[in-house]
């Protein structure tokens, strides 16, 4: 994996259509390109992502929205033949700086995956996994507190508090996904990336996760990739529309869904393709 | 003679397939709507023609020798019929050899000459009869089946029913063979335990299976304590596992997590070739290279090492079973879903933490199963031990001494001319039963573990 920065020029974010929050963005991406071998998966994407908001990435399959999400915590590092250029900063730190430790980056940028993927361990050990590997606690009591706090934050505590030593894989799909969210929260990240977190869940479990996202945005920067435009409209404050590797349009969710500037966005949200 | 008949039968079967198929095709061309495809009609005719005849041929071949023998014995003069079993068997062997021309005819014994003539007459008769009967069955089957062909005849269902029966027979053959082997082990072992008490066999500390043929012989004590053999087996197997498990497991982790895919595609088959090397070849390596090396290293450390040691055999056996551990473990580590790796990396775990805390625990049941499989392989291994660890049944757990194993002694007991009524020979069956019970137990444990593993991610 190489990350040449020579080609990066100071790009500009697309002009905001509605007023933005008054604080500087949490994540700033400029002229990001991603190649898988010869395939140009992300083309010159520049975007700002703000704190205490849910930002939704929407677009048809294969448009690069998941790829771009994974670039943000360098999960693409483990894919052979993947190459990233451009500049991405998290609170001012260049995340592709060779001096930056990817382990620490991922502790700051947590991730929840499409399919719930609890480890085949107990519920407790699943949540305690992150704090343990990062050495966040000094005593068992502190660890217990983090586990309880994270499970409460993920709205799972009441359902599992009496069976913390049961395997996480024994929970239902929706509970597993909330367990994975609790697992991500336990390392106190700044950003939580969610890659279609509800696509394997039923409507009731989906509603719970969406409610949870709305709560979590008080404390975290949340980015969600979703196939469901209704979901993007329900949970997000800002929406970015990707198409064939291009970031077509980004703006407030309300503006994207009611007054899209680009013809392709209009076609997509009205269901003409995708 | 049976071979010619077999090929004639084969030709008939093939021909009847074509006849049946052609007939069905001509029916179809005549405008009829067939229930089954023409090839099913052909197959049906071929099966009904060939299968019963082939089974009959098989039965005929296996019964022929015995039948002829009974008739020839019945035709012998009375004084020979009264002979004891062993002498009668010798006589009949002579008759048979002379009848087949393997031995020149002994004209000095008139009863034998007449018996040989009788034998040859019966063989000729059997040959003619077998041709007649078997071809009659085949042709009858062909005619019957050929008559069945009609547009509404459900040839496909009939063929599938016949094939179903064939499949049932094939699968029960394997099961029955296993049961047969176990039963023969059990009965022979029971004969052994009638002479030697079970407790002495299981708990006796000396193994010296020579029994006296004559009363005045010396050194023919006949002690059947299997403990030295069991301990020897365990010592060597444990040494082998100490080599194979760490090396195999680390190789598996490297192959599945670090090695680039293209190199892995080459290296893994090469490693698996290790499992295909005949164990005799490992035996050379153990006896000629490793054992002297172990001895000279031991000497330089001031230790007393036998020229054939458990250590040398165990180490080489360990190398032999590395691929069992590494290849299977590599498969199970690879089978851990990628999503678990991503989940771990996504929390900021390093590759080492991911392997240690997520992959190995998730793959553990599979790894355990591979280790148990390797262990039962080590228990059953004979050749390396014969060549590198010696034959002396010493009761010791010192890996620098010469020890021996259960399998080696089974081989030794049955090599050469043996009579199957001495405790010495029968003890081989008792040892075999012991080994079988142990490996069976290990296999059951392994299967339990694997079953648990299958439920892991769901």
């Amino acid at each position: 994996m190489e990350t040449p920065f020579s080609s990066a020029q100071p790009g500009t974010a697309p002009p905001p259509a509605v007023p933005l929050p008054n604080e500087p963005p949490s994540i700033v991406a400029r002229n990001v390109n991603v190649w898988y071998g010869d395939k140009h998966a992300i083309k010159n994407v520049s975007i700002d992502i703000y704190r205490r908001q849910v930002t939704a990435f929407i677009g048809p399959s294969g448009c690069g929205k998941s790829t771009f999400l994974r670039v943000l915590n360098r999960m693409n590092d483990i894919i052979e033949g993947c190459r990233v250029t451009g500049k991405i900063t998290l609170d001012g730190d260049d995340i592709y700086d060779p001096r930056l430790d990817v382990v620490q980056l991922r502790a700051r940028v947590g991730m929840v995956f499409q399919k719930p993927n609890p480890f085949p361990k107990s519920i407790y050990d699943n949540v305690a996994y992150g704090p343990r590997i990062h050495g966040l606690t000094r005593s068992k009591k502190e660890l217990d507190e983090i586990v309880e706090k994270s499970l409460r934050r993920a709205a799972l505590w009441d359902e599992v508090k009496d069976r913390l030593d049961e395997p996480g894989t024994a929970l239902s799909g929706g509970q597993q996904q909330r367990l994975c969210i609790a697992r991500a929260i336990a390392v106190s990240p700044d950003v939580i990336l969610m890659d279609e977190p509800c696509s394997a869940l039923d409507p009731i479990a989906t509603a719970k996760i969406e409610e949870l996202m709305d709560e979590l945005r008080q404390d975290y920067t949340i980015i969600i990739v979703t196939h469901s435009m209704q979901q993007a409209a329900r949970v997000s404050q800002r929406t970015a529309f990707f198409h064939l590797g291009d970031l077509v349009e980004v703006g407030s969710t309300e503006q994207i869904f009611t007054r899209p500037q680009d013809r392709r966005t209009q076609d997509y949200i009205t269901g003409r393709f995708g | 003679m049976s071979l010619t008949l077999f090929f004639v039968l084969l030709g008939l079967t093939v021909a009847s397939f074509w006849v049946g198929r052609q007939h069905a095709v001509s029916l179809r061309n005549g405008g009829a709507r067939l229930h089954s495809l023409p090839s099913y009609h052909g197959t049906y005719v071929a099966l009904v023609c060939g299968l019963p005849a082939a089974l009959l041929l098989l039965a005929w071949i296996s019964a022929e020798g015995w039948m002829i023998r009974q008739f020839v014995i019945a035709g012998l003069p009375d004084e020979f019929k009264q002979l004891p079993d062993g002498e009668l068997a010798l006589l009949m062997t002579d008759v048979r050899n002379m009848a087949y021309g393997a031995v020149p005819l002994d004209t000095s014994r008139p009863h034998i000459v007449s018996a040989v003539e009788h034998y040859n007459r019966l063989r000729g008769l059997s040959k003619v009869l077998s041709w007649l009967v078997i071809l009659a069955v085949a042709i009858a089957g062909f005619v019957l089946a050929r008559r069945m062909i009609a547009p509404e005849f459900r040839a496909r269902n009939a063929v599938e029913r016949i094939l179903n029966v064939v499949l049932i027979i094939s699968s029960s053959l394997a099961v029955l063979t296993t049961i047969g082997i176990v039963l023969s082990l059990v009965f022979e072992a029971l004969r052994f335990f009638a002479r030697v008490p079970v407790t002495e066999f299981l708990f006796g500390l000396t193994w010296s299976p020579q029994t006296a043929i004559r009363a005045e012989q010396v050194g023919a004590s006949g002690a059947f304590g299997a403990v030295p053999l069991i301990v020897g087996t365990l010592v060597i197997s444990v040494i082998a596992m100490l080599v194979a498990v760490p090396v195999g497991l680390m190789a598996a982790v490297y192959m599945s997590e670090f090695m680039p895919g293209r190199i892995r595609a080459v290296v893994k088959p090469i490693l698996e070739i290790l499992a295909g090397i005949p164990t005799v070849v490992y035996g050379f390596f153990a006896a000629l290279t490793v054992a002297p090396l172990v001895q000279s290293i031991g000497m330089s450390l001031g230790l007393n090492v036998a020229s054939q040691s458990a250590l040398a055999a165990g180490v080489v056996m360990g190398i032999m079973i590395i691929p069992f551990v590494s290849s299977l473990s590599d498969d199970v580590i690879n089978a851990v879903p990628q999503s678990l790796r991503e989940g771990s990396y996504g929390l900021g775990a390093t590759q080492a933490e991911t392997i240690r805390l997520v992959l190995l625990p998730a793959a553990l049941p599979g790894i355990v199963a591979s280790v148990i499989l390797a262990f039962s392989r080590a228990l059953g291994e004979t050749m390396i031990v014969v060549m590198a660890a010696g034959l002396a049944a010493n009761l010791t757990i010192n890996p620098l001494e010469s020890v021996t194993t259960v399998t080696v002694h089974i081989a030794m007991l049955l090599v050469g001319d043996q009579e199957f009524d001495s405790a010495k020979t029968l003890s081989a069956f008792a040892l075999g039963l012991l080994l079988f019970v142990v490996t069976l137990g290990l296999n059951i444990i392994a299967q339990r573990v694997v079953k648990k593993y299958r439920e892991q991610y769901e």
Side-chain angles (χ1 to χ4, degrees):
Chain A
M1 160 116 216
E2 50 169 324
T3 53
F5 295 99
S6 51
S7 64
Q9 298 154 1
T12 47
V18 292
L20 291 167
N22 286 328
E23 50 188 326
S26 167
I27 294 175
V28 178
R30 289 293 176 270
N31 307 97
V32 174
N33 286 281
V34 180
W35 284 267
Y36 290 128
D38 295 337
K39 190 171 174 274
H40 198 174
I42 295 285
K43 297 167 191 158
N44 223 28
V45 167
S46 298
I47 189 172
D48 294 339
I49 288 162
Y50 294 89
R51 282 185 195 82
R52 282 181 277 284
Q53 274 194 346
V54 176
T55 304
F57 291 173
I58 61 170
S61 297
C63 67
K65 55 193 190 301
S66 281
T67 299
F68 188 69
L69 190 76
R70 286 163 162 265
V71 163
L72 298 179
N73 70 343
R74 292 181 52 181
M75 281 304 278
N76 284 334
D77 284 14
I78 55 177
I79 297 171
E80 261 178 80
C82 176
R83 205 153 52 86
V84 181
T85 64
K87 190 174 173 100
I88 303 172
T89 59
L90 170 63
D91 295 330
D93 301 330
D94 184 346
I95 68 169
Y96 279 91
D97 187 329
R99 282 165 303 175
L100 180 126
D101 186 0
V102 68
V103 163
Q104 264 144 28
L105 169 70
R106 288 178 189 154
R108 286 167 69 186
V109 184
M111 188 154 188
V112 176
F113 297 84
Q114 183 169 3
K115 205 173 149 243
N117 58 349
F119 302 130
K121 300 171 179 290
S122 71
I123 293 170
Y124 183 95
D125 286 340
N126 261 286
V127 183
Y129 185 85
R132 277 185 181 141
I133 59 172
H134 294 295
L136 297 182
T137 57
R138 267 159 293 155
S139 66
K140 172 88 171 86
K141 194 165 153 283
E142 259 182 85
L143 190 59
D144 288 348
E145 278 165 15
I146 290 189
V147 169
E148 179 175 344
K149 206 178 93 200
S150 309
L151 284 170
R152 277 190 194 284
R153 207 79 185 76
L156 191 60
W157 175 253
D158 291 333
E159 290 160 62
V160 301
K161 65 180 174 212
D162 300 322
R163 45 180 183 140
L164 290 176
D165 50 358
E166 278 180 31
T169 42
L171 297 171
S172 74
Q175 289 174 324
Q176 287 189 13
Q177 195 62 297
R178 278 179 283 152
L179 178 63
C180 293
I181 293 174
R183 189 174 71 182
I185 293 172
V187 288
S188 5
D190 303 325
V191 182
I192 301 176
L193 309 177
M194 297 188 174
D195 190 357
E196 297 180 44
C198 301
S199 64
L201 304 182
D202 65 64
I204 292 170
T206 301
K208 280 196 176 150
I209 303 271
E210 287 179 2
E211 205 179 307
L212 182 59
M213 274 187 253
D214 206 47
E215 275 210 31
L216 290 175
R217 78 178 165 91
Q218 312 301 328
D219 302 312
Y220 304 97
T221 308
I222 295 180
I223 306 172
I224 175 176
V225 162
T226 178
H227 262 121
S228 154
M229 278 174 284
Q230 290 88 337
Q231 184 170 57
R234 281 193 300 265
V235 301
S236 72
Q237 285 71 50
R238 269 163 65 82
T239 297
F241 173 65
F242 286 81
H243 185 239
L244 299 176
D246 292 311
L247 173 61
V248 176
E249 191 171 354
V250 58
S252 81
T253 301
E254 196 235 333
Q255 175 253 312
I256 292 282
F257 280 96
T258 54
R259 303 180 305 278
Q261 310 285 309
D262 193 286
R263 176 87 204 158
R264 289 169 290 178
T265 318
Q266 167 106 38
D267 287 349
Y268 183 70
I269 61 169
T270 52
R272 224 161 286 167
F273 71 89
Chain B
M1 134 283 189
S2 313
L3 205 62
T4 331
L5 181 52
F6 173 76
F7 280 115
V8 170
L9 199 57
L10 199 66
L12 261 177
T13 310
V14 173
S16 58
F17 173 81
W18 279 108
V19 170
R21 190 172 172 277
Q22 282 310 317
H23 187 61
V25 167
S26 65
L27 279 181
R28 189 173 63 186
N29 292 344
R33 251 185 78 86
L34 296 181
H35 169 270
S36 306
L37 291 173
S39 62
Y40 277 111
H41 286 278
T43 312
Y44 177 72
V45 177
L47 282 175
V48 174
C49 165
L51 206 55
L55 290 178
L56 192 64
L57 178 62
L58 205 65
W60 197 290
I61 293 170
S62 35
E64 187 184 33
W66 183 80
M67 292 286 288
I68 292 178
R69 193 186 128 113
Q70 294 306 312
F71 281 119
V72 172
I73 289 175
L76 281 176
D78 280 344
E79 73 259 36
F80 293 105
K81 273 191 234 168
Q82 315 302 323
L83 282 174
D85 275 354
E87 285 179 44
L88 192 63
L90 274 177
L91 181 72
M92 288 312 297
T93 311
D94 281 345
V95 171
R96 193 167 169 276
N97 284 340
M98 287 177 208
Y100 281 95
V103 176
L105 195 61
D106 183 359
T107 44
S108 64
R109 291 190 286 176
H111 62 276
I112 287 209
V113 175
S114 70
V116 167
E117 280 167 8
H118 191 189
Y119 196 104
N120 280 333
R121 262 202 316 282
L122 286 173
R123 261 177 65 204
L125 186 65
S126 164
K127 184 176 173 180
V128 175
L129 265 181
S130 69
W131 275 84
L132 283 179
V133 171
I134 287 167
L135 287 184
V137 166
I139 290 166
F142 167 73
V143 170
L144 269 178
R146 166 72 180 67
R147 276 232 202 110
M148 296 289 287
I149 296 177
E152 68 276 13
F153 176 56
R154 305 195 163 193
R156 174 168 51 77
N157 308 34
V159 167
E160 277 163 5
R161 263 199 308 280
I162 295 172
L163 287 182
N164 202 354
V165 172
V166 171
L167 293 183
I168 290 172
I169 293 172
S170 310
S171 56
S172 44
L173 212 61
V175 176
L176 290 177
T177 314
T178 314
I179 294 175
I181 290 173
V182 173
L183 286 183
S184 83
L185 269 183
V186 168
F187 283 118
E188 298 297 324
L190 284 179
R191 279 176 67 194
F192 170 74
F193 289 130
R195 289 152 207 249
V196 178
V198 183
T199 46
E200 192 203 319
F201 176 72
L202 286 181
F203 305 112
L205 299 182
T206 326
W207 180 264
S208 163
Q210 279 67 34
T211 40
I213 298 172
R214 296 185 310 278
E216 71 274 16
Q217 260 181 326
V218 287
S221 49
F224 292 98
V227 172
L229 301 185
I230 296 169
V231 170
T233 306
L234 287 180
V235 167
I236 291 183
S237 303
V238 166
I239 294 171
M241 298 315 283
L242 288 179
V243 173
V245 171
V247 176
L249 210 52
M250 286 192 268
V253 167
Y254 180 70
M255 278 198 296
S256 68
E257 295 303 309
F258 295 96
M259 198 179 269
R262 272 171 295 120
I263 301 179
R264 181 172 177 274
V266 178
V267 169
K268 204 180 171 204
I270 292 178
L271 198 62
E272 279 165 4
I273 289 175
L274 268 183
I277 296 174
T279 56
V280 171
V281 177
Y282 280 105
F284 300 153
F285 177 55
L288 303 179
T289 312
V290 178
L293 188 71
V294 167
Q295 195 180 23
S296 66
I297 291 175
M299 294 291 191
S300 67
L301 293 173
L303 295 167
N304 190 14
V305 185
S307 65
Q308 294 180 311
S309 62
L311 189 60
V315 167
V316 175
M317 199 190 280
I319 292 169
M320 182 192 80
I321 56 181
I322 284 174
F324 286 80
V325 178
S326 70
S327 196
L328 282 172
S329 300
D330 173 48
D331 287 342
V332 291
I333 294 174
N334 246 326
V336 174
Q338 184 65 19
S339 67
L340 289 185
R341 289 186 184 84
E342 290 189 341
S344 178
Y345 293 140
L347 289 167
T350 63
Q351 201 163 8
E353 285 162 342
T354 303
I355 291 167
R356 192 160 49 84
L357 299 172
V358 176
L359 298 183
L360 288 183
L364 189 66
I367 292 171
V368 169
S370 79
V371 168
I372 291 175
L373 194 77
F375 193 65
S376 52
R377 180 72 209 257
L379 286 181
E381 175 48 39
T382 315
M383 219 54 223
I384 293 175
V385 186
V386 173
M387 296 169 84
L391 303 168
N394 292 331
L395 178 54
T396 175
I397 54 165
N398 180 356
L400 302 178
E401 279 187 48
S402 167
V403 297
T404 191
T405 64
V406 173
T407 50
V408 166
H409 271 264
I410 293 175
M412 267 179 52
L413 290 166
L414 295 183
V415 166
D417 288 339
Q418 298 294 344
E419 40 184 344
F420 274 78
D421 52 1
S422 76
K424 181 190 169 198
T425 318
L426 289 175
S427 69
F429 291 96
L431 288 176
L433 186 65
L434 183 70
L435 199 62
F436 173 74
V437 169
V438 172
T439 23
L440 183 71
L442 285 174
N443 271 319
I444 289 173
I445 296 172
Q447 268 177 14
R448 282 277 161 82
V449 172
V450 169
K451 202 166 158 193
K452 196 182 152 214
Y453 168 68
R454 280 194 188 127
E455 295 162 358
Q456 195 78 44
Y457 312 116
E458 299 307 320

